[in-house]
Amino acid sequence: AVLMNHRSWGDFAVDPAQAHAVVIARTAAIAATMLSGLLGVCAGRVLAISRSDTPCWAKTAREDLARRCRSHKRYLLYPEGTRRAFDANADEPVPLRVGGLKNVYESGDAALVVITVGKEKIMDERRGRVSFSSRLYRATSEPLHPSDHSTLDSFLSAVDDAWRDAWRRAYQLRHDHLEHEWSEAPLRREVRTAPSESLTRCHSSEQLRPQPSC
C-alpha cells in the first residue's frame, strides 16, 4: 500500500505514475475529473468508493474495499481523506484517518509513505490554473510491515511517525532548493545584464566601426 498526501486534482495526474498503482478514489472525485476518471475506472486503474449511500452508489463497506484491494499487487490511498492544498494549515501534517490504515494492517500489506510537495501547482482547481512545468519535492519512508506490530495502535503510531518525518523532509527539500535559488539569483541577474548593456552601447553608438566591448 502506498500512502500519499492529497493536495488537489493534480494528484490524479502524477501520483499513479509515481506509485505504479491503482488509486482508491471517491466517486465524487471521479465525477469531477470527468473523462479521465471514467477512463481510469474502465481501465481498472481506479477503485471507486462511496462514503455514503447515494441514488447511484451504495456506501462502500471496509470489508468490500479490502477484498478489491487484494486483487492488486499495489494500491494507493490518501489517508488524509480529502484535498488539503487550500486549508489554513495546508503545509502542516494532520491526524490520519484510521479506516484505510486498518485495512492495510489487517491485510498484512507493507505500507510506504510518500509525501510530495507542489502537486497543487500542476492543477489548481480552485483558481482554474494548470501548469506543465511544475517542480515537485518528494520524500519517502522505509516500508512499514504490519507483522512488526502486535497491535493496530502500534502500527498506526508507526505510520504517523513515518508520515510526519517524510512530511518534514519533503518540505525541507523545497526550502533548501528555494534558498539555493535565491542565493544565486543576484549572480544570474549580473550575468544576464552585463552582455545586454554591452550590446546596447554598441547599437546606440554613433560610430559605425565595431566596438571592442562587443
Side-chain angles (χ1 to χ4, degrees):
V2 184
L3 314 179
M4 290 191 166
N5 60 319
H6 201 2
R7 304 300 291 179
S8 72
W9 289 349
D11 297 8
F12 299 118
V14 67
D15 287 345
Q18 290 194 88
H20 301 284
V22 298
V23 183
I24 299 173
R26 293 185 300 129
T27 52
I30 295 169
T33 52
M34 297 181 287
L35 180 60
S36 59
L38 180 61
L39 289 174
V41 173
C42 294
R45 302 298 294 173
V46 176
L47 297 180
I49 63 172
S50 177
R51 289 183 181 165
S52 58
D53 290 318
T54 68
C56 299
W57 296 84
K59 181 178 180 179
T60 304
R62 191 172 63 82
E63 294 77 14
D64 179 52
L65 177 59
R67 177 185 57 79
R68 294 162 64 191
C69 287
R70 281 196 294 271
S71 62
H72 297 277
K73 181 179 180 180
R74 186 182 293 115
Y75 53 92
L76 186 166
L77 69 151
Y78 298 107
E80 293 166 301
T82 188
R83 293 166 289 149
R84 295 191 53 241
F86 308 106
D87 290 355
N89 61 340
D91 293 332
E92 299 294 332
V94 296
L96 306 179
R97 299 192 177 187
V98 175
L101 298 178
K102 187 174 182 180
N103 274 4
V104 174
Y105 178 74
E106 292 177 349
S107 68
D109 296 330
L112 180 71
V113 173
V114 180
I115 302 297
T116 308
V117 177
K119 292 185 290 183
E120 63 274 16
K121 297 183 182 300
I122 297 174
M123 181 181 290
D124 183 342
E125 62 270 21
R126 178 165 295 188
R127 298 181 178 87
R129 296 175 183 172
V130 176
S131 170
F132 298 97
S133 59
S134 300
R135 187 184 297 275
L136 304 178
Y137 307 88
R138 182 177 66 189
T140 64
S141 72
E142 292 294 325
L144 303 168
H145 299 279
S147 58
D148 294 335
H149 302 273
S150 59
T151 65
L152 172 62
D153 286 343
S154 173
F155 178 70
L156 294 177
S157 178
V159 169
D160 185 71
D161 289 345
W163 182 273
R164 291 177 181 276
D165 178 65
W167 189 287
R168 177 191 57 78
R169 288 186 286 110
Y171 274 87
Q172 186 64 45
L173 187 63
R174 183 183 70 170
H175 175 272
D176 292 346
H177 177 262
L178 293 179
E179 191 173 62
H180 178 70
E181 282 199 331
W182 292 334
S183 67
E184 290 193 341
L187 177 61
R188 287 201 299 269
R189 285 198 296 269
E190 182 179 343
V191 170
R192 291 171 182 169
T193 301
S196 175
E197 291 177 347
S198 177
L199 186 62
T200 300
R201 287 196 297 271
C202 288
H203 281 281
S204 64
S205 173
E206 294 180 356
Q207 302 182 38
L208 299 180
R209 65 179 182 276
Q211 299 299 306
S213 57
C214 293

